[in-house]
Amino acid sequence: MGHLSKFLLPLVLALAPGSNARACQQSARTFEAENAILTGTKVESTLSGYTGSGYVAGFDEGSDKITFNIPSSITKLYDLSIRYAGIYGEKRTTIVLNGGDNTEVFLAATETFTTVSAGQVLLKEGNNTVDIVNNWGWYLIDSITIKPSEPRAPHNINPSLNNPNAGVEATTLYKYLVSIYGKKILSGQQDLSWANWINTQIGKTPALVAVDLMDYSPSRVERGTVGTSVEDAITHHNNGGIISVLWHWNAPTGLYDTEERRWWSGFYTDATDFDIAATLANPSGANYTLIIRDIDAIAMQLKRLQSAGVPVLWRPLHEAEGGWFWWGAKGPEAAKQLWNLLYDRLTEYHGLNNLIWVWNSIEPEWYPGDSTVDILSADVYAQGNGPISVQYNQLVELGNDKKLIAAAEVGAAPLPDLLQAYEAHWLWFAVWGDTFVNNAQWNSLEVLREVYNHDYVLTLDEIQGWRNTV
């Protein structure tokens, strides 16, 4: 089980039938922020509606935090919630358990105090610390509450893809993914070159490789880019691997191309004046024609993969809800409309039946609907190699536990023992490349060896029979 085994064994014993230890930690416990250890923060009482004697404010520097000391008589998994006020707009905070794994929590804008789920924490026997660390800052914290987690109910995953004409390669891959869900996790890496780096460092190759169609975007091609991602995908497929594809879609037009925002950063909202909402509202306009041109250009690359027999975990419009990419800059309705256009153009017009459609945002208002989404996913960049349980549980709720769920991009590879302890049944993880997979602050070689040699983690050599799934 790796270096966490001694820590997790008491959890197994505590959950055993008839355990007296289990009964002693069943009630919810609330900890007031004003009684915690404050670092760079302060107690206030100006905003009404708080509990206790006040709340904590002053989150305006990166190191600002609150530290809660939480004793536990046993090792046990708890649901964690935060009572906060988001009077300065929507924000994000970071939860750190016992100085280790980090979890990012989204705090919606509010006018009063409200409660948000902050995922789960696996408390060890003895004293534990839970830090709430600045991140975006500018929010008010009233208290936290922990409550024993209930065991996860069995999943009820859709047995087939949405596309009734899906090809045998895609349907076979999907059946294989369903068969391992909740039992194993696929190791994954962004870019074939970094997958090869993993093999050089630890002697194992990721089961899944993610590639980017960015350099096939027409506004990049016309400036001289030459994509090689399709060739990389076919190479990994021919070695028995699984392929995920994203697209950093350079805006079709309106690139600023300044010293600060060069043309090659044209997928960012602040690098273009391209307005997707206005474009979609005018189907006879020139910009709409350019959108179709771009989709058709990418369709040609996806057809190359289809011709090579490669099923694709297709993840366009990633991180739309963040707003930092132009396809999410005009809000959820425009993003959903663009998703539906992509789905119709690629599936119906181009007949691409090798695609398994992967949605990549968490907030419900952004979700385009079950009928065009096969798999749900999130991109999470949090240090500490934790289980990313907050986002997993949010996606379970979004899909009513009928959709497979993937950690499509991560900064830190999740430790398998924690994934199992938290019952965070991610289907795959894919670590981002340079500055993440090769950065010891995010992924030490010790951790990568533990991950890639764990029984719960599938590597390339262990999935060679997936094409025989029936």
Side-chain angles (χ1 to χ4, degrees), residues 12 25 70 112 158 180 200 216 232 281 292 305 313 339 388:
V12 177
Q25 299 272 326
I70 305 177
T112 58
N158 292 334
I180 66 171
T200 299
Y216 300 98
D232 288 347
I292 298 299
L305 294 173
L313 297 163
W339 173 272
I388 333 173

Side-chain angles (χ1 to χ4, degrees), residues 152-153 155 181 362 376 389-403 405 423-425:
R152 190 177 298 283
H155 301 294
Y181 186 60
I362 295 174
L376 297 172
S389 65
V390 172
Q391 292 81 5
Y392 181 81
N393 291 331
Q394 289 173 323
L395 289 171
V396 168
E397 183 176 354
L398 179 65
N400 295 312
D401 210 9
K402 295 182 179 180
K403 301 289 185 182
I405 297 173
E423 296 185 298
H425 295 154

Side-chain angles (χ1 to χ4, degrees), residues 267-335:
F267 41 85
Y268 284 118
T269 297
D270 63 2
T272 178
D273 62 8
F274 187 75
D275 186 326
I276 185 57
T279 296
L280 295 173
N282 183 19
S284 61
N287 282 355
Y288 192 93
T289 300
L290 291 177
I291 283 285
I292 298 299
R293 175 205 66 179
D294 283 15
I295 296 172
D296 290 350
I298 293 304
M300 295 304 102
Q301 305 307 321
L302 294 171
K303 284 181 178 180
R304 291 174 61 196
L305 294 173
Q306 182 166 256
S307 297
V310 182
V312 172
L313 297 163
W314 171 230
R315 187 171 64 96
L317 309 189
H318 66 293
E319 302 174 15
E321 66 189 355
W324 41 77
F325 298 135
W326 61 260
W327 49 85
K330 299 301 177 180
E333 296 310 313

Side-chain angles (χ1 to χ4, degrees), residues 144-166:
I144 65 170
T145 298
I146 61 169
K147 180 181 179 182
S149 298
E150 296 292 334
R152 190 177 298 283
H155 301 294
N156 183 30
I157 303 302
N158 292 334
S160 58
L161 297 170
N162 283 309
N163 178 8
N165 298 316

Side-chain angles (χ1 to χ4, degrees), residues 60-237:
D60 50 24
E61 299 290 340
S63 59
D64 293 344
K65 65 179 181 178
I66 312 174
T67 300
F68 296 89
N69 286 301
I70 305 177
S72 181
S73 62
I74 59 172
T75 297
K76 190 170 181 61
L77 188 64
Y78 288 86
D79 296 334
L80 174 67
S81 60
I82 303 173
R83 194 164 191 269
Y84 79 99
I87 60 175
Y88 304 109
E90 66 177 44
K91 305 295 179 183
R92 295 176 189 267
T93 189
T94 298
I95 306 298
V96 183
L97 174 63
N98 291 325
D101 60 284
N102 291 206
T103 300
E104 186 175 79
V105 178
F106 174 75
L107 304 176
T110 70
E111 296 180 357
T112 58
F113 285 100
T114 189
T115 300
V116 64
S117 170
Q120 296 162 296
V121 288
L122 182 62
L123 300 185
K124 60 183 175 62
E125 182 180 353
N127 190 57
N128 298 265
T129 59
V130 172
D131 295 340
I132 298 180
V133 184
N134 187 68
N135 202 322
W136 287 17
W138 295 98
Y139 46 74
L140 312 177
I141 301 295
D142 185 30
S143 65
I144 65 170
T145 298
I146 61 169
K147 180 181 179 182
S149 298
E150 296 292 334
R152 190 177 298 283
H155 301 294
N156 183 30
I157 303 302
N158 292 334
S160 58
L161 297 170
N162 283 309
N163 178 8
N165 298 316
V168 63
E169 294 88 357
T171 56
T172 299
L173 175 56
Y174 185 76
K175 288 178 182 177
Y176 172 72
L177 298 177
V178 171
S179 75
I180 66 171
Y181 186 60
K183 304 171 186 174
K184 302 282 186 178
I185 187 171
L186 294 164
S187 57
Q189 179 57 50
Q190 181 67 39
D191 296 331
L192 183 61
S193 61
W194 287 108
N196 293 335
W197 181 87
I198 290 283
N199 180 266
T200 299
Q201 297 298 316
I202 61 177
K204 292 278 190 175
T205 301
L208 177 147
V209 166
V211 300
D212 192 345
L213 299 185
M214 175 176 65
D215 281 337
Y216 300 98
S217 301
S219 67
R220 296 175 76 91
V221 172
E222 65 190 21
R223 289 170 169 83
T225 63
V226 178
T228 59
S229 296
V230 170
E231 288 81 1
D232 288 347
I234 292 173
T235 295
H236 189 64
H237 167 80

